[in-house]
Amino acid sequence: MTLHPTTGFTSTDAAAIVSRLRATFRTGRTRPLAWRKDQLIRLRDLLTEHRDAIADALHIDLRKNRAEVDTMEIGGTLREIDDCLAHMDTWLTPRDVPVPVLLPRGTTARTAYEPLGVTLVISAWNYPVNLLLVPVVGALAAGNAVLIKPAEHAVATSALLAELLPRYLDNDATAVVEGGAEETTLLLAQRFDHIFYTGNSAVGRTVMTAAAANLTPVTLELGGKSPVFVDRDIDLRVVAERLVLTKFTNAGQTCVAPDYILTDPGTAVALEAALTSALRDRFGQDPQASNRYGRIVNERHFDRLTALLGSGRTVTGGRTDRADRYIAPTVLADVAADDPVMGEEIFGPLLPILTVADLDAAIIFINDRDKPLALYAFTGNDTTRRRLAAETSSGGINFGWPMHQLTVPGLPFGGVGESGMGHYRGPHSVETFSHRKSILDVPLA
Ligand code: NAD
């Protein structure tokens, strides 16, 4: 069942949907592994049968190119589905726990995952397929009913998924509600058994406040500024290539995109040249004409980003075209810590370079700010690796290839502090969307 905002979504509608999902959950229909797997297979069918339509919608919303859609949006979700299908039997197997001798012989103790009930998944617009469906995979694999709220700013993708999902999934146990703040507020007034939210931290606070009324647990997948430390005496050609490939994917609108670079003054100068050359290799002389390069999601974000362009000195890029929502891939040097571009998560194609004297100064700089979702470092030095891992805190730390932590299915994904709470993907999603129940069985005689 899908409700579109233009139909006038009300709190009565929200209550009715949640109560229908709860009634289904109570029948026990979502518990058998066979039902869960069937839903995942249906989701896989949806993605494979509608690849082209999904790619078209993502092109309209964000000018995503086909390779990016195939690998990150559809591919990433399919990999998650396949990983779950291959391993969920094992993940969900109850685990025995040793029993102390003070209990009678024959006593058993174990833990078993039980589904939570009715879950709500709220997605952000920047990867509107992956960020919506990967949590849904976890919620279904764990045996829950799910209310699915796509991201309204990815207008075409939201509409397409709202049309397709009900054609594939069990409509008594899942529902899609499109809409923005107004509709989501009505949903959040309902009682859920888990809320999984991806987006900015201001709304994260709103979600958590609403959840508190019902003691509903939340997973908050938020963002923040993910720093990149670049050590001296390393091959900057490789560094620049990898930074360009990741920072400027989806025009920088990625929660784990490198946000800014910290390096020493000498390396900064060499990196400026390396980045300029890597950008030309990837997007040509005119990135606006490159089919590899995306667009800013809407005018509001375009205006926000262009206001940040005045920070520092523009090394390369800087060109904008509002009618096309285009901002050139831009490198800014001589950026100061109090420049506007450092005042918020950039979430766009601007890459500032800041200089620090050494590793100690970099660690202080990082620790003086909110805990990032990701911390990246390029270094050939083991001590530097160890120190960064031990002396800073972030959702994840990655040496050598930004964003590629997402390609390892066994790694949990999530933030810490201001970058979020909880984590998901694979077995970590099962953990998130389940209650781990303890079961003790003592013989009567
Ligand atoms: P967004 O505008 O799509 O908002 C996210 C969701 O919140 C949407 O579904 C929207 O309908 C809902 N929403 C908006 N206002 C609301 C309100 N007042 N009450 C209730 N719900 C409301 O996305 P965004 O916030 O612009 O996303 C960008 C941010 O998300 C960045 O900070 C980025 O780093 C972060 N992000 C994090 C991850 C992650 O996995 N950790 C992934 C993507 C984006």
Side-chain angles (χ1 to χ4, degrees), residues 32-45 77-92 137-138 140-142 426-427 430:
L33 280 183
W35 180 89
R36 306 181 195 192
K37 288 179 182 171
D38 179 56
Q39 295 302 302
L40 298 189
I41 290 164
R42 286 163 182 270
L43 206 48
R44 186 169 64 187
D45 290 346
T77 313
L78 288 175
R79 281 193 297 279
E80 182 73 12
I81 292 172
D82 290 340
D83 193 39
C84 265
L85 286 171
H87 301 294
M88 59 195 274
D89 287 345
T90 313
W91 297 337
L92 289 160
V137 169
L140 292 171
V430 168

Side-chain angles (χ1 to χ4, degrees), residues 121-127 130-132 149-154 177-186 188 196-204 206-207 210 220-226 253-257 297-298 300-301 304 345-347 373 406 413-415 418-420 424:
V121 173
I122 304 171
S123 167
W125 50 264
N126 55 329
Y127 289 86
N130 185 313
L131 295 177
L132 182 71
K149 216 300 283 168
E152 74 277 17
H153 295 309
V177 174
E178 282 193 272
E182 207 178 308
E183 290 75 13
T184 314
T185 302
L186 296 176
L188 287 170
F196 189 105
Y197 163 82
T198 301
N200 67 71
S201 59
V203 174
T206 304
V207 169
L220 301 178
E221 294 288 340
L222 312 177
K225 292 179 87 63
S226 294
Q253 301 163 112
T254 306
C255 56
V256 284
V297 67
N298 56 31
R300 183 170 66 81
H301 280 282
R304 178 184 65 78
E345 176 183 0
I346 298 171
F347 218 56
L373 186 55
L406 292 168
F413 181 64
E418 195 68 19
S419 58
Y424 73 124

